[in-house]
Amino acid sequence: MGGIKNNHMWLFLSVLFVAFGVTHGDISKDSYWLLRIKSKFVDHEGVLDSWSSKANICSWNGLRCSEDLSYVVGLNLSGSGLAGSISSEFPNLVLLEVLDLSSNILTGVIPPELGRLENLKELHLYSNFLSGKIPAEIGLLKQLQVLRIGDNMLTGEISPHIGNLSELRVLGLGYCQLNGSIPMEVGNLKHLKSLNLQENNLSGLIPQEIGACRELQFFSAENNMLEGSIPTSMGKLVTIEILNLSNNSLSGLIPNELGGLLNLKYLSLLGNRLNGGIPSDLSQLSQLSTLDLSRNNLSGAINIFSSQLKNIESLVLSDNYLTGEIPNDLCTSNSKMQKLFLARNKLSGKIPPQLMSCSSLRQLDLSDNDLGGVLPSGLDSLENLTDLLLNNNSFTGTIPPEIGNMSKLESLFLFHNRLTGSIPKEFGKLWRLSQLYLYENQMSGTIPMELMNCSSLTEIDFFGNHFSGSIPTTIGRLKNLVVLQLRQNDLSGSIPPSLGYCKNLQALALADNKLSGTLPPTFRFLTELSIVTLYNNSFEGPLPDSLYLLKNLTVINFSHNRFSGSILPLSGSNALIKMDLTNNSFSGSIPIELASSRNMSRLRLGHNCFTGNIPSEFGRLTELNFLDLSSNNLTGEVAPQLSNCKQIEHLLLADNQLKGTIPSWLGSLQGLGELDLSSNFFNGTIPAGLGSCSSLLKLSLHSNNLSGEIPLEIGNLTSLNVLNLQKNNLSGAIPSTIQQCKKLYELRLSENSFTGVILAELGKIADLQVILDLSRNHLSGKIPSSLGDLIKLEGLDLSFNNLQGEVPSSLGTLTSLHVLNLSSNHLHGQLPSSFSQFPLSSFLGNKDLCGRPLVPCSRSEGLRTKRLSETAAAGIVVAIVFTSTLICLAMLYMMLRIWSNWRKVSISNSDGGNLNKMIEEENWACGNEKKRNMEYWKMNSAALITSQGGDISTETYLKMNLGSKDSALV
């Protein structure tokens, strides 16, 4: 027990002794604290192995002792791979002057206890993973000259206490997540030479007080959210050499005072909202080597002159609204300028000839302006030029062959101009040329064989010209070629087999030409090929089986060619994203191997000769948004596994031989925008679940065997533009909910068995434009006058129904209507006068319609009167016949009575033969009259029936009812 007490006492005395010793700089006691500090580090690389009580402390790695070796003054463990945290016991090394723990893997916060290191002059904690706020206690380090704690995960604001560091020379807070504003107390740092605040989230204004930092040489606050104007007080920073305020939200004018910073070598204000003109005072900055004012809203003419900016090497004024011409003396013969970027402005005029004397230029970018004229023939005097960008202007004429003398040229961008003529053969001397962009011009001629000498070429883009002839057979000499874009020209012939030796090729675009033949077997060597587009050519034949070796293909478009056979050779890549083989003659089954490309988003195989079922494996293509299998010979039902393709937006299965019912799971495809199942053998009803496809724009189910009613849920498709259900067996009334589809511009419901009336609500679908087709149904009632509100409607077909009543006059106001069919209904009355433009066939089969193009309504009244007169005459005849018959019967009765009496008298006198003959003659005469009357009735009845019949012409109708005399009047 006494031993334990003695131990505790010894430990207490030791702590007191150590504390007393450290206070007075005892080297042996520094070792104690350093060993405790070591315990906070995680040393994976053993850099602290030398920190041991068995070795002299001054020999420990990273330590620096005082001259008399009595205490530690410096600790530098930068780049040692240390993890862990920063110990809060560092303040026990009270005589420490330099602490450098930069470029490690330290985490945690910056201990506020570091503020007690009163003798500290340098604190380097940058490039770690420290978090939290910057401790305000740092402001207590009165002797601190260097504070570099950037490139961490520090947050919060910059403490105003930073202004207490009156001896500070370097303040590095860049590449953190600091917010708030720059404290005005920064103006107290009179000896500050470097201020780095870049890559933070700082906002607010740049304080005017910064002008008090008269010794400042470096100031960078790029990539923040600073706003307001640039303080004019910055004109007092007469010693500054580098000023970088790029990529903020600074606005207003560029202060003229910046022209007084005669020591300035680098000035970047790019990516702000500065406006106004470029101050001519900037021409006084004779030490300036880089001036970047790009991506602002600067306007006016360029009024800075290279003759005064004697040391300017990089002048970047791109992405502004500068106008006028390029100054003649912007780059003189004795200039040091290497980079001149004036792109994306509104400069006009020609390229000044004086610019050709700037032999030091390496990069010249004048793209995206309104420059014109011909390209100067003296361009080859820019002998050091590596990049020439003149694209997106209005240059005319031919390309000067002298460009072939620019032996250092690596990038030549002349696209989107009005250049004509051919590619100069002299280009074959540009052996360093890497990028050649001539697309979207009016160039012609053949691709010169000499171009194949440019062995450094990596990108060729000749899209949208009129190049003709064949692809050079020696193109395989361009072994560094990565991109070959020859689309939309007039090239012919076949693909040279040597192309297969361009083994670095990644993108090949030969579409929209007149190329033909088969694909060369050497394609198998293009193992880096990612994108290949050959559409709109005349390629034919089967695909080489060796294409299966191309494992990096992501985009394939062979559409609109004459390829045949199997597509299995194209299914060897699991990286496919887009495949379009439409309009070919491919046959066989669809390879299930395509389902291995899990990132496939677009698969178009329409208009081919594929057979078999839709592979159920396609359900694995969960990224698929476009599936087109239309116009093939596919059979079977729609694979239920496709319900897993939740991203699908376009599902086109039309013109096949698919059967079964329309899958109800289609309603779960929330992004579906186009569904086309037309011209198949689908039966059953339309699933009500389709009403859940709220993004649906086009629904086409025509030419199937669908039955039942249109579900009410169709009204939920409020984005629908096209609804085509024609040529089915649908029945019932047209649902009233269809009026909710306000964006419909095409509605086709013809050739079904719909009943009921035409909904008046259809007139509220104001966007109906292409057609409203309700023909060949069993609709009845009147034509709603509300259809006259469809002012955009171009086609209306209501033919072959049971419609009655008059044609609403409101339909005559449809000025956009150019297709109209109301035939074969029961309409009557006068047609609107504007309908005279439509053919007679639009109205036939309606017995009582009149007005042009039918007969005039006055003639129609005459016809009705004529028919009435004939009916009256027939009635009179019938009455006469009926009366005559009664009279005959009465006379016959009387004669029979007389004959009966007479017979009684004459039985004994005669046999009565003559009387029998007389009666027979009388009966024949009555019967003959009756027969004649019946024939007359049948004749007129037949005429009446014919006149009421179906599709006869108006001329025939008139001839039958008016006779030849009246018909001649017509």
Side-chain angles (χ1 to χ4, degrees), residues 75-145:
L75 174 58
N76 187 344
L77 295 174
S78 177
S80 298
L82 296 174
S85 59
I86 300 175
S87 173
S88 61
E89 301 195 53
F90 270 107
N92 293 308
L93 305 174
V94 292
L95 299 179
L96 196 65
E97 297 178 359
V98 176
L99 176 58
D100 191 345
L101 300 175
S102 62
S103 301
N104 282 290
I105 320 173
L106 300 174
T107 57
V109 300
I110 299 175
E113 289 82 358
L114 294 183
R116 292 172 18 217
L117 289 169
E118 297 179 357
N119 293 297
L120 199 64
K121 296 180 180 179
E122 297 184 24
L123 177 58
H124 303 268
L125 302 178
Y126 63 88
S127 297
N128 278 286
F129 295 91
L130 302 173
S131 57
K133 298 182 178 181
I134 301 173
E137 288 80 356
I138 294 293
L140 301 175
L141 302 175
K142 303 291 187 179
Q143 304 298 318
L144 200 63
Q145 298 179 11

Side-chain angles (χ1 to χ4, degrees), residues 879-938:
I880 292 173
V881 170
F882 180 75
T883 304
S884 300
T885 302
L886 289 177
I887 293 173
C888 289
L889 289 173
M891 291 178 65
L892 179 61
Y893 175 75
M894 291 175 65
M895 290 179 67
L896 285 173
R897 292 291 302 270
I898 294 171
W899 176 76
S900 178
N901 294 330
W902 173 79
R903 186 180 180 195
K904 291 179 181 178
V905 174
S906 60
I907 285 177
S908 58
N909 298 326
S910 137
D911 60 4
N914 290 331
L915 181 59
N916 289 334
K917 183 178 179 182
M918 184 180 65
I919 292 172
E920 288 177 4
E921 290 178 351
E922 187 176 355
N923 285 338
W924 179 89
C926 292
N928 190 49
E929 182 65 20
K930 185 175 181 181
K931 181 178 180 182
R932 285 197 299 270
N933 288 335
M934 289 299 294
E935 288 176 350
Y936 174 84
W937 175 253
K938 287 181 180 179

Side-chain angles (χ1 to χ4, degrees), residues 414-722:
L414 301 177
F415 62 87
H416 204 273
N417 279 286
R418 301 174 186 172
L419 299 174
T420 56
S422 59
I423 301 173
K425 296 180 180 179
E426 288 77 5
F427 274 22
K429 296 185 291 184
L430 301 176
W431 61 275
R432 291 185 180 179
L433 192 63
S434 175
Q435 296 174 302
L436 178 57
Y437 288 175
L438 304 178
Y439 63 85
E440 292 181 333
N441 278 287
Q442 301 169 23
M443 301 184 67
S444 57
T446 61
I447 300 174
M449 297 290 291
E450 289 80 1
L451 194 61
M452 305 304 109
N453 296 329
C454 302
S455 57
S456 298
L457 273 171
T458 60
E459 298 180 29
I460 293 177
D461 195 338
F462 295 165
F463 161 75
N465 280 282
H466 304 290
F467 293 119
S468 58
S470 59
I471 301 172
T473 57
T474 57
I475 195 168
R477 294 168 59 182
L478 304 179
K479 298 187 182 301
N480 294 306
L481 203 60
V482 175
V483 175
L484 178 59
Q485 165 70 281
L486 303 178
R487 182 167 72 91
Q488 200 170 315
N489 280 283
D490 296 316
L491 299 172
S492 57
S494 58
I495 298 177
S498 69
L499 183 64
Y501 302 116
C502 300
K503 296 184 178 181
N504 294 312
L505 198 63
Q506 297 179 18
L508 174 63
L510 304 179
D512 293 308
N513 278 287
K514 300 174 182 177
L515 298 169
S516 58
T518 59
L519 297 187
T522 53
F523 254 51
R524 68 181 182 275
F525 300 130
L526 303 178
T527 55
E528 299 299 316
L529 197 62
S530 175
I531 300 173
V532 54
T533 58
L534 306 178
Y535 58 89
N536 288 339
N537 279 288
S538 297
F539 292 115
E540 60 186 2
L543 302 174
D545 291 338
S546 57
L547 293 185
Y548 197 83
L549 301 174
L550 305 183
K551 302 296 185 182
N552 292 307
L553 287 174
T554 59
V555 176
I556 300 173
N557 193 336
F558 287 4
S559 63
H560 297 274
N561 277 285
R562 301 171 186 171
F563 288 115
S564 59
S566 173
I567 65 169
L568 185 61
L570 294 177
S571 60
S573 171
N574 294 337
L576 282 172
I577 297 175
K578 298 179 181 180
M579 174 184 277
D580 190 345
L581 305 179
T582 55
N583 288 94
N584 279 284
S585 298
F586 289 116
S587 59
S589 59
I590 299 174
I592 61 174
E593 286 82 356
L594 292 176
S596 299
S597 299
R598 297 300 180 87
N599 293 318
M600 180 90 77
S601 63
R602 194 177 185 91
L603 179 59
R604 303 199 63 179
L605 304 178
H607 296 271
N608 279 284
C609 305
F610 292 112
T611 56
N613 296 337
I614 300 173
S616 59
E617 290 79 3
F618 279 5
R620 304 175 194 162
L621 303 177
T622 55
E623 299 299 318
L624 199 64
N625 61 45
F626 201 124
L627 178 60
D628 179 7
L629 304 178
S630 59
S631 299
N632 281 285
N633 296 313
L634 299 174
T635 56
E637 299 186 1
V638 179
Q641 290 82 355
L642 288 181
S643 62
N644 297 324
C645 304
K646 300 298 184 183
Q647 304 299 320
I648 203 159
E649 298 176 4
H650 304 267
L651 181 58
L652 311 180
L653 304 178
D655 293 295
N656 279 287
Q657 301 175 34
L658 301 171
K659 62 180 182 178
T661 58
I662 296 176
S664 59
W665 51 257
L666 289 171
S668 66
L669 304 179
Q670 296 299 310
L672 193 63
E674 181 179 12
L675 177 61
D676 192 348
L677 305 180
S678 59
S679 299
N680 279 286
F681 299 107
F682 291 111
N683 55 35
T685 59
I686 299 173
L690 286 180
S692 299
C693 300
S694 57
S695 300
L696 203 60
L697 300 176
K698 178 180 179 181
L699 176 59
S700 185
L701 305 177
H702 72 83
S703 304
N704 279 286
N705 298 318
L706 300 174
S707 58
E709 299 183 356
I710 300 176
L712 296 175
E713 289 79 2
I714 203 78
N716 297 336
L717 304 179
T718 54
S719 298
L720 202 62
N721 297 150
V722 177

